[in-house]
Amino acid sequence: TQLLEQSPQFLSIQEGENLTVYCNSSSVFSSLQWYRQEPGEGPVLLVTVVTGGEVKKLKRLTFQFGDARKDSSLHITAAQPGDTGLYLCAGVPSGTYKYIFGTGTRLKVLA
Amino acid sequence: DTEVTQTPKHLVMGMTNKKSLKCEQHMGHRAMYWYKQKAKKPPELMFVYSYEKLSINESVPSRFSPECPNSSLLNLHLHALQPEDSALYLCASSQGSRAPGELFFGEGSRLTVL
């Protein structure tokens, strides 16, 4: 059973467009991380969200943690080709000690 | 540059070979992880070591044998693998394993089993 569902699975957009990626679960998380992974490399941490309702900004990327700490979103403004990659949310569901990853969103930004 | 170093970056082996993947971190982290990642899929947890002791084994076949010689090193010994074991193997570390928060990943070892 996949505890972290991401949507969309795949997104292909033009440079300059905006997009939002969603990460949803029925479990509560004490924190959630977002990573970006490029082909042939390991995931690189983008941000950690901890508090329900928290919003964090990283340049053109805005991350939000749901009030109930069961979901999160990543919004990218004016996407650039350098944003291309696999975006993964991850965390430890309440009641477990397993650090799991979401199903992933593969983003392709066309110049 | 990643602070988690994995070697080799690429490995090709036959089904009868014995090889090892190595991982090293010097961030003082006490938890280390092995993940397996197939193409276009998210990483899947294999093993977790906490304070050099195996704390999680996700029902991984015995042809994969992890070893944690000390707090900075993590090995994955491979023997009698199958072609379907071909994947990117990722090592990661974190400060703790109970509520790890952020994981730091190496660049991975791309394994091909012929």
Side-chain angles (χ1 to χ4, degrees), chain B residues 1 13 15 25-26 29 31 34 43 59 64 86 89 92 94 96-97 106 110 112:
Chain B
D1 287 341
M13 61 187 289
M15 289 189 285
Q25 59 90 12
H26 293 290
H29 288 171
W34 280 115
S59 302
F64 294 92
S86 298
Y89 288 84
S94 67
S97 65
R110 168 108 17 226
T112 301

Side-chain angles (χ1 to χ4, degrees), chain B residues 38-50:
Chain B
K38 302 286 274 186
K40 300 184 181 181
K41 297 289 187 183
E44 295 177 20
L45 183 63
M46 299 175 72
F47 302 104
V48 181
Y49 272 83
S50 180

Side-chain angles (χ1 to χ4, degrees), chain B residues 22-35:
Chain B
K22 298 185 183 300
C23 177
E24 189 169 1
Q25 59 90 12
H26 293 290
M27 294 178 281
H29 288 171
R30 304 317 301 251
M32 296 186 77
Y33 308 73
W34 280 115
Y35 282 85

Side-chain angles (χ1 to χ4, degrees), chain B residues 1 6 13-14 16-17 20-23 25 33-34 55 57-58 63-64 69 80 88 92 94-95 114:
Chain B
D1 287 341
Q6 288 187 243
M13 61 187 289
T16 58
N17 292 157
S20 297
L21 305 180
K22 298 185 183 300
C23 177
Q25 59 90 12
Y33 308 73
W34 280 115
S55 61
N57 177 340
E58 284 291 282
R63 57 186 185 267
F64 294 92
L88 182 68
S94 67
Q95 289 193 340
L114 301 176

